[in-house]
Amino acid sequence: MKKSILIIVVVLISCASSKKDFTKMGGLDEAIQNAILDFSKKSRLYKKNSVFTVWAQDTLYRMVLDKSNENKYKWVEGDLYEQTIAVSITASYNKILMTDSTKVGSIGKFPSRYIERDGKLFYWWDSDQPLKQETLDALGKYGLLQDDEGGWVKFPDMTINDAQKAAHYYFCRNNLKKYKRVTTNKGIGYYDAPKLDCN
């Protein structure tokens, strides 16, 4: 009995400690920071890999299949989740092709943001952040860069695994300490987002 009470107390303390370190107010950057903090402390996926890709969505829609054309179905934007910011973290197995346009200072053509935590790398694209040499150095350190070999483009082998799971985070826009995590192999927007009490 004492042992099970101790386990419950330890779990509650670890949950509280990571949430205490969360940033409450902010936008995509702060949501990404909070997601990485939670992921590194609570997700089983964190232990299985050392490199992770991060995607963030400030505007999140529930995607629905449009069947109005009998010959061609397509995914379209459905309901808007107005109060929600979404962040996805998934293991990365693919290299990133460096071309002549991959230059320090370029914007939007290459992942320009990263965080290293406990010997693991999280990286993402930021269309407002110019590429820095330190970002290229970090990506190179983890073996993610592939040169186009002087213009003779050799595309990196790509691994696509539909069964691969990702951790999806749904944050209240007005309070980033209110969130839910979903571990799934579905894409964000292609299933119903969890309900959040953002009031």
Side-chain angles (χ1 to χ4, degrees):
M1 178 71 174
K2 287 182 180 179
K3 188 175 181 180
S4 58
I5 291 172
L6 178 62
I7 290 170
I8 291 169
V9 169
V10 168
V11 169
L12 290 174
I13 289 171
S14 68
C15 289
S17 65
S18 65
K19 217 172 192 182
K20 174 186 65 126
D21 297 332
F22 272 22
T23 300
K24 181 177 179 180
M25 303 307 290
L28 282 180
D29 284 348
E30 291 77 14
I32 289 170
Q33 303 283 337
N34 287 357
I36 291 172
L37 179 61
D38 180 88
F39 183 81
S40 63
K41 291 188 176 186
K42 297 181 188 173
S43 176
R44 290 181 184 176
L45 300 177
Y46 181 71
K47 297 175 184 175
K48 296 180 179 179
N49 293 90
S50 59
V51 179
F52 300 93
T53 305
V54 180
W55 298 97
Q57 290 179 255
D58 186 51
T59 306
L60 178 64
Y61 290 91
R62 173 62 166 100
M63 302 302 290
V64 292
L65 198 55
D66 179 5
K67 298 179 180 179
S68 60
N69 183 340
E70 291 179 13
N71 299 322
K72 189 175 180 184
Y73 295 161
K74 64 179 179 178
W75 289 99
V76 295
E77 293 174 350
D79 293 335
L80 171 66
Y81 296 103
E82 286 186 61
Q83 298 300 316
T84 306
I85 294 174
V87 177
S88 173
I89 301 177
T90 186
S92 177
Y93 299 99
N94 298 316
K95 291 186 180 286
I96 306 165
L97 184 66
M98 290 184 64
T99 65
D100 290 339
S101 63
T102 310
K103 294 185 171 120
V104 171
S106 63
I107 297 176
K109 299 185 179 196
F110 214 73
S112 58
R113 302 284 299 278
Y114 77 95
I115 289 176
E116 279 188 279
R117 185 177 181 89
D118 304 324
K120 298 181 187 248
L121 180 74
F122 297 83
Y123 70 90
W124 64 97
W125 278 256
D126 183 336
S127 57
D128 296 324
Q129 178 76 36
L131 179 62
K132 296 179 182 173
Q133 185 62 49
E134 68 180 75
T135 306
L136 283 173
D137 293 344
L139 294 168
K141 174 181 169 182
Y142 287 86
L144 292 173
L145 302 179
Q146 179 171 323
D147 195 342
D148 76 347
E149 299 175 12
W152 294 94
V153 177
K154 180 182 176 189
F155 287 100
D157 292 333
M158 301 296 281
T159 300
I160 298 172
N161 180 356
D162 291 336
Q164 180 180 340
K165 291 189 174 180
H168 296 167
Y169 288 85
Y170 298 88
F171 294 94
C172 286
R173 187 180 302 282
N174 62 352
N175 183 351
L176 298 175
K177 289 190 175 192
K178 291 184 176 182
Y179 74 100
K180 288 189 179 175
R181 179 182 68 238
V182 176
T183 301
T184 180
N185 64 343
K186 295 179 182 176
I188 284 183
Y190 292 89
Y191 63 92
D192 292 334
K195 291 184 179 176
L196 295 169
D197 180 10
C198 295
N199 296 323

